[in-house]
Amino acid sequence: MPRPLGRESELAAAEAIIEAASARPAALLIEGPAGIGKSTLVTAVAQRAAARGWRILTARPSGAEATWAHQSLDDLVRGVDPAVIDSLPEMQRRALDFALLRSAPARATDAATAQLVTMATVGIVTTLAKAGPVLISIDDAPWVDHATAGVLASVVRRLGTLPVGVVVAQRVDTPASAPFGLEAAVPTERIWLAPMSHGALHLLLVERLELALPRPTLARLHELAGGNPLYALEIARALRRLPALPRPGEPLPIPASMRGLLHGRLESLSRRTSHALVVAAAAGAPTIDELSRAIEAPAVEVLQEAIDGGLVMVDRGRIRFTHPTVAAAAYQDAAPGDRRTAHAALSRVADAGEARARHLALATTAPDANVASALDAAAEDAKRRGAAEAATELIRLAVERTPGDDRAALGRRQLVLANLLLELPDLEAAERLCAELVATLPPGPGRAEARMLAGTIAFYREPTTIVAVEHCLAALEDAAADPALLGRIHFRLAVFFDFDVVAGMQHAAKAVEILTATGPPITLAAAMYERFAHEVTLGMPPDLALLDRAQALEGDGTNADQSTVPGLWWIAIDRPDLARARFLRQLDGSRAVGEVSGEPDLLTRLAETELYADRWDAALRFVEEATVAARQAGQPNADPARRIRALVLAHRGDLADAESSALEALARVEAGPDPILASAYLLVLSFIAASAERWPDVEMHAARSDRYLTAAGYVQAMRLDATHERIEALCAMGRLDEAEPLLARFEEGARVTPRPWADAAIARGRARLLAGRGNLAAAIAATDAVLADESNAWRAFDRARTLLLRGELLRRARSRRGAGDALEAARSIFDALGASVWARRTRVEIARLGRPRPTVADELTPSEAEVARLAASGLKNREVAAQLGISTKTVEAHLARAYAKLGVQSRAQLARAIAD
């Protein structure tokens, strides 16, 4: 059975019911319209209860069986141990067998038989509940036959204090009375299943159909389906059969499976009512007055048939369809001429410029310069309001209505359309349109704009920025006569030239020079940020005054075009609070105006921020959001935050998963080639190897990373630098003469650009180097820096790593008490963070001091112990997750903490610890 996507709060409520029912009767009533996901949730609840060892009694009635007496009761008791039924008094057993058509009729009146069947069912539930908790699970209560409904009502009244849970799904359009007298008999929680969110719908389509829709199409599908997963899946299947996805403004298909449900109701309407219904569908949700003027008749009177038939309703002075699919079917079933007539009528009565322009365009298929101009204005207004999809539809219509001989207007509108498609984002459509523009526009600023836009799209879609650079270098030639455009292109090149820092610096300086005279301020600020970043990367002292001037140019900070450079700078200097505020403000600003093409990058930056803020759960949530956003944006690789995910997993101790993911990604980006992203993944691999104390691997990965960065011109690589891991590895391997110059170089970089995390790394590197030289006292003194950090500028993880090394050195110096204090402090931090591998390393050091090893009973929570027990029995993580009804990630998190707390490194060791 599929898992209930996007129903975390509902599952939490269900868990509470299961918990409560383990001691006393409790019930959960799940309500909602057909197709909203009730059955999936009911099944998930049953699976979770079964994973706890509960006995499950399940009935899944259907409409065809609703008149069959005791059919649902047969479902409920089927599978019950025959010994339980055999233990019933003979008359009850014989009556039950007769009711379930398993034997000949008993010699008793109908009333007596019904009473005996009820008593038998109560006896079965009681017997089972005395042995352990029982869950009665009823899917689709309205179809439970009358006889079984009576039995269930009697059962729930007689539960007393038995540990019995009852979970019932009820198909209703509005909340209704609880079936079987639940609320009067036992404490009952009610859940109304609301429409799925956009994110949950995306995951549903990917999981069930392997279909990742662009964000605009997904939003329209969500609206058309009303958030109903069943309807959404049907429409998505129809979409998948189309040769191409509908463009903005074009209707989504209503599949035959759904159209058949509505066709008869629509076909039975009079011609007059059908026409009014088409006009209403074309308008969306018109006022009664607007629709009356458009059809030149009283709207409510004309639509009375449709109102009586449940197709539309009057709601606060407006005509609204009872479901979006009704409007879609009414509109799509109408003849093209009827639809144009409807739009023509609405154009005559529409007040707003946007609505009037849209109806004018849809009332005809012929080019019309005046209509195209009206659409231009309406699109600009929609864009200012943050309605990016509406603006896109209006500009697309403007392109279609532009006379063929007006090439200048056509090219201008196509450029606007391409930009809007990028912002939606619909990168595939934007890319196709840009290619067409570059091929058809004459040399000059228009083609330069198209090439710059193509470069921006390539930046998002290509595995390397090389293609983006090529587009923008070609754009420079076309933009020679337009200084403002030249400045913008140089700025783009400064961003895209990450594989050549010197060239990037040159373009950033040129952009600042030109934009200082031409503006706009927000782009000048962004160019200043790029110059600041390139100067730092080239090893220059950070020009904080330049940073301040750029921030002043941004104004109130609400512009969606803000640069991410300040946030990245704050990440690099251990100010996640400032970085988080910056990225969240940018994300909110982008969403407010409908410009979400940069959303995957911003979400990735937030994930990175939370990683270095030691909020790893939050980091993984942003990783998931970034991945979803990238897929919806049409980014082929669709894993912008994969590196951060691997780093988080490595910090938590899931080294195998992290390393596998990083190696796979590294192979892809090196084939790209993308040297900077390759160096970033090599940093991940260096950290993984350092966590496992595989020192030769650390040195190999870090050395490769350094070669990539040096070739690109990086002097100061900030958070991409793996030198600190390499220094510790070389010292651990005894290659001290190689480590010393690297440490000196790293210390010089930290002097030019101070960073708390670098201070921690320097303390560890210097301590290892001194210890390797035999000066243990000086090595211990080098770690005093961790004690001097009274302001807590160091992140907790860096503090714990340094305390671990300090404890190791103090143990070697036979300072047992000092070593114990340092190691216990490190262990406490690692445990709190969930850094299982590092916690295990710390426990090994503590054990060397002669301290006792923790036991399962001392260390593990009940949830951790349950997961550990199943894992130790030989089950794989996904099998444990399925049995417990939780996610694989939750299993991984529980196991990581169990490994750390018990100081074990394998499932075999875990099994021994559990056995002990």
Side-chain angles (χ1 to χ4, degrees), residues 599-658:
E599 190 169 307
D601 181 58
L602 287 171
L603 290 166
T604 299
R605 300 307 183 192
L606 281 164
E608 186 174 11
T609 301
E610 301 302 1
L611 164 67
Y612 291 120
D614 294 319
R615 295 172 19 152
W616 300 339
D617 286 344
L620 287 178
R621 286 196 296 271
F622 280 123
V623 164
E624 291 175 2
E625 287 186 50
T627 304
V628 169
R631 285 175 178 159
Q632 293 175 3
Q635 295 181 11
N637 296 324
D639 56 357
R642 184 175 187 172
R643 178 179 68 90
I644 307 303
R645 177 184 179 273
L647 263 178
V648 174
L649 292 180
H651 277 74
R652 282 184 156 178
D654 194 346
L655 301 188
D657 190 352

Side-chain angles (χ1 to χ4, degrees), residues 577-886:
D577 53 332
L578 297 178
R580 183 185 301 113
R582 171 88 182 184
F583 294 138
L584 285 173
R585 188 170 65 245
Q586 286 182 263
L587 190 63
D588 290 342
S590 296
R591 287 171 172 171
V593 297
E595 295 182 8
V596 291
S597 56
E599 190 169 307
D601 181 58
L602 287 171
L603 290 166
T604 299
R605 300 307 183 192
L606 281 164
E608 186 174 11
T609 301
E610 301 302 1
L611 164 67
Y612 291 120
D614 294 319
R615 295 172 19 152
W616 300 339
D617 286 344
L620 287 178
R621 286 196 296 271
F622 280 123
V623 164
E624 291 175 2
E625 287 186 50
T627 304
V628 169
R631 285 175 178 159
Q632 293 175 3
Q635 295 181 11
N637 296 324
D639 56 357
R642 184 175 187 172
R643 178 179 68 90
I644 307 303
R645 177 184 179 273
L647 263 178
V648 174
L649 292 180
H651 277 74
R652 282 184 156 178
D654 194 346
L655 301 188
D657 190 352
E659 188 164 35
S660 172
S661 177
L663 284 170
E664 181 185 339
L666 177 64
R668 190 183 70 241
V669 299
E670 284 188 316
D674 186 338
I676 304 309
L677 191 52
S679 69
Y681 275 111
L682 286 164
L683 169 63
V684 176
L685 291 167
S686 299
F687 174 75
I688 292 169
S691 299
E693 298 181 280
R694 295 182 348 234
W695 304 120
D697 287 347
V698 175
E699 204 282 327
M700 175 185 68
H701 294 314
R704 282 177 67 194
S705 174
D706 187 61
R707 288 194 292 273
Y708 277 131
L709 293 170
T710 301
Y714 280 67
V715 176
Q716 178 63 270
M718 305 301 280
R719 281 289 189 186
L720 289 180
D721 197 349
T723 301
H724 58 294
E725 303 290 5
R726 188 181 182 191
I727 292 166
E728 290 198 57
L730 288 169
C731 290
M733 292 188 292
R735 294 161 58 179
L736 306 179
D737 290 342
E738 295 175 64
E740 192 158 20
L742 285 178
L743 178 60
R745 189 183 80 184
F746 193 78
E747 287 177 320
E748 175 60 21
R751 185 190 64 77
V752 174
T753 309
R755 290 148 288 156
W757 70 267
D759 293 340
I762 289 168
R764 295 194 300 273
R766 177 62 59 189
R768 285 191 182 276
L769 185 64
L770 289 167
R773 299 286 190 202
N775 193 342
L776 201 55
I780 293 169
T783 66
D784 286 347
V786 70
L787 307 179
D789 181 34
E790 296 178 357
S791 63
N792 290 325
W794 293 12
R795 63 185 286 227
F797 185 77
D798 286 332
R799 177 185 297 279
R801 279 188 71 172
T802 311
L803 284 168
L804 170 58
L805 177 58
R806 180 179 177 84
E808 292 174 5
L809 296 173
L810 285 166
R811 179 185 59 77
R812 288 167 57 187
R814 302 186 184 283
S815 176
R816 289 172 53 84
R817 181 171 180 178
D821 290 345
L823 292 171
E824 286 294 349
R827 181 198 60 78
S828 177
I829 295 173
F830 286 138
D831 278 346
L833 293 175
S836 62
V837 167
W838 291 88
R840 184 166 64 243
R841 284 175 54 176
T842 308
R843 281 178 166 77
V844 169
E845 284 298 317
I846 291 173
R848 288 172 178 165
L849 292 174
R851 301 192 176 194
R853 189 169 177 158
T855 66
V856 173
D858 294 334
E859 292 288 328
L860 302 191
T861 67
S863 296
E864 290 166 352
E866 193 171 22
V867 169
R869 178 181 58 78
L870 292 173
S873 72
L875 296 181
K876 296 179 180 178
N877 286 2
R878 63 176 179 274
E879 294 170 334
V880 175
Q883 186 159 332
L884 295 180
I886 58 179

